[in-house]
Amino acid sequence: MANRKLFLLPGDGIGPEAFDEVRKILDYMNDEEGAGFETDEGLVGGAAYDSHGESISDADMEKAMAADAVLFGAVGGPKWDDVPYDQRPEAGLLRLRKDMQLFANLRPAICYPALANSSSLKKELVEGLDILILRELTGGVYFGDPKTITDLGNGQKRAIDTQVYDTYEIERISAMAFELARTRSNRVCSMEKRNVMKSGVLWNEVVTETHKRGFEDVELSHMLADAGGMQLVRAPKQFDVIVTDNLFGDMLSDVAAMLTGSLGMLPSASLGAPDGVTGKRKAMYEPVHGSAPDIAGQGIANPIAMIASLAMCLRYSFEMIAEADRLEAAIAKVLDDGLRTGDIMSDGMQQVGTTEMGAAVLEAYKAAAA
Ligand code: IPM
Ligand code: MG
């Protein structure tokens, strides 16, 4: 088996704690299953800033570009509130997304049966929920120019962010939405704000055109993004795949995450276009939750989103489908057994810390192999 190159970027806050649990699973897969993971590790976010004054170094960027996949923890925290804007921890993450051209961000929101009671919504609304938010990740207001704050000289300042989308960016993300829908329930809902934004008008037009060019077997609907947010909390199970831009995707995926019980449960995959020669996509896998500085270092963070991100990595970057299935089943098993970190704790369950949760998932993974 050719070695599988993984570049690890634990980052800040609860990132490193959650990562420790992933490392143990990788070690097990290498030692006992001959998985052949070759890992290298770098710094990102505040950790990188503290070490060398930038949120990611060129050397680490190069390693990320050369790896088969990047596993990413989390970045940010109040400690870095006053660092220059270009070097803020989040800038490292945005550079990885942009330079690796990871335009497609898959954020599945699955409600594990055992957690239907942990959601802030009624159990019947979320039980069995399985939706996929496909967020455009390299365009829109995150990266548009100009992006400035100007002093107007009269005691006023003016801030500008630019929302910009070209046809090709909308085409490739909508094509991907249709392809993904075919592997699921075959429905795509596109969300934008065409009633107030030109980028919304073009988004709607291009998604509709792309649909006509070879994807008409997939059911397509459109929703204004604000109404989409409302529908997500009113009747989330109506959706299968939601495709939307970078900013709406950021917000809607946090909403979708809470439907499942906790932000601590959700993994994500960020993928680029297939390489012309090898057919392989550049890829980075990260939990949707942030660095959670308020609970960092206490050993109470939920490592499940990070472990589930590894499962997505096995599935999408290494075609290790059986292992990915087993790891996801291990997570479900541990939840069925009643183990809970604080964020998903409910009456009658057993509260555990980060390492206990990680160890329990690994044990369940091992047991399923036997
Ligand atoms: C996310 C995060 C990031 C984003 C931050 C950390 C820059 O909220 O991945 O959803 O806004 O994209
Ligand atoms: Mg976010």
Side-chain angles (χ1 to χ4, degrees):
M1 173 54 66
N3 276 1
R4 300 174 158 129
K5 284 205 182 67
L6 269 181
F7 188 50
L8 313 181
L9 290 169
D12 309 322
I14 62 170
E17 295 163 56
F19 235 92
D20 286 343
E21 303 316 308
V22 157
R23 246 186 242 105
K24 291 173 199 163
I25 299 172
L26 288 173
D27 286 347
Y28 175 81
M29 295 178 81
N30 270 351
D31 296 346
E32 305 297 329
E33 301 183 336
F37 287 115
E38 197 180 283
T39 59
D40 192 359
E41 193 160 327
L43 294 173
V44 69
Y49 181 81
D50 288 348
S51 143
H52 50 70
E54 0 170 59
S55 54
I56 186 161
S57 68
D58 290 346
D60 278 349
M61 262 319 301
E62 264 170 44
K63 288 181 184 172
M65 299 287 275
D68 292 319
V70 177
L71 280 180
F72 184 98
V75 288
K79 182 177 174 200
W80 301 283
D81 276 352
D82 297 325
V83 310
Y85 185 79
D86 286 345
Q87 294 310 336
R88 72 199 189 288
E90 292 78 6
L93 171 59
L94 297 181
R95 181 172 173 199
L96 282 158
R97 290 175 179 171
K98 191 69 177 176
D99 288 8
M100 293 172 72
Q101 298 184 48
L102 306 174
F103 68 88
N105 183 218
L106 285 65
R107 299 192 158 186
I110 292 164
C111 185
Y112 288 90
L115 288 189
N117 279 321
S118 301
S119 172
S120 46
L121 295 197
K122 291 194 199 91
K123 183 174 176 177
E124 59 270 24
L125 290 184
V126 295
E127 206 167 23
L129 179 78
D130 180 358
I131 61 183
L132 176 67
I133 301 207
L134 183 62
R135 168 188 178 190
E136 199 291 328
L137 202 62
T138 49
V141 76
Y142 274 64
F143 297 101
D145 278 325
K147 194 177 199 46
T148 51
I149 298 179
T150 322
D151 199 326
L152 298 179
N154 58 354
Q156 297 284 304
K157 289 181 184 175
R158 176 170 297 153
I160 303 178
D161 289 291
T162 307
Q163 163 86 344
V164 43
Y165 272 107
D166 291 357
T167 305
Y168 80 95
E169 295 177 285
I170 308 170
E171 268 169 3
R172 65 184 179 184
I173 194 75
S174 43
M176 187 129 174
F178 297 130
E179 281 160 14
L180 287 165
R182 280 178 178 155
T183 68
R184 302 170 44 93
S185 300
N186 218 30
R187 289 179 290 122
V188 170
C189 181
S190 165
M191 296 188 187
E192 30 62 14
K193 282 282 288 178
R194 64 186 178 281
N195 52 349
V196 282
M197 297 168 79
K198 288 292 183 187
S199 56
V201 172
L202 185 67
W203 184 279
N204 183 276
E205 224 173 83
V206 176
V207 172
T208 306
E209 280 307 309
T210 308
H211 182 239
K212 283 188 191 139
R213 291 198 305 268
F215 294 109
E216 275 177 318
D217 56 300
V218 181
E219 187 186 315
L220 171 65
S221 59
H222 300 275
M223 232 179 241
L224 295 174
D226 54 344
M230 183 271 284
Q231 289 297 340
L232 261 180
V233 291
R234 194 189 74 87
K237 284 191 253 177
Q238 71 186 284
F239 297 112
D240 180 26
V241 176
I242 293 173
V243 62
T244 191
D245 78 11
N246 205 342
L247 182 62
F248 294 140
D250 181 43
M251 300 176 60
L252 294 171
S253 61
D254 267 22
V255 173
M258 265 326 283
L259 302 175
T260 71
S262 165
L263 213 48
M265 297 295 301
L266 257 72
S268 84
S270 304
L271 308 176
D275 178 277
V277 180
T278 63
K280 283 201 73 124
R281 295 176 187 272
K282 287 215 185 328
M284 179 163 76
Y285 300 86
E286 54 173 304
V288 171
H289 64 67
S291 57
D294 51 323
I295 59 161
Q298 299 174 32
I300 59 172
N302 185 349
I304 290 181
M306 193 71 239
I307 296 172
S309 297
L310 170 62
M312 286 190 93
C313 173
L314 301 175
R315 187 179 303 284
Y316 290 103
S317 282
F318 299 114
E319 286 172 32
M320 298 169 71
I321 310 297
E323 289 85 349
D325 286 346
R326 239 169 77 209
L327 192 51
E328 284 164 1
I331 293 171
K333 164 84 169 51
V334 166
L335 294 171
D336 281 343
D337 289 347
L339 261 58
R340 299 284 187 274
T341 42
D343 56 312
I344 49 176
M345 185 57 191
S346 60
D347 283 352
M349 299 295 137
Q350 185 191 345
Q351 187 158 344
V352 296
T354 311
T355 46
E356 289 135 299
M357 182 59 98
V361 173
L362 179 53
E363 281 314 311
Y365 178 82
K366 287 182 194 171

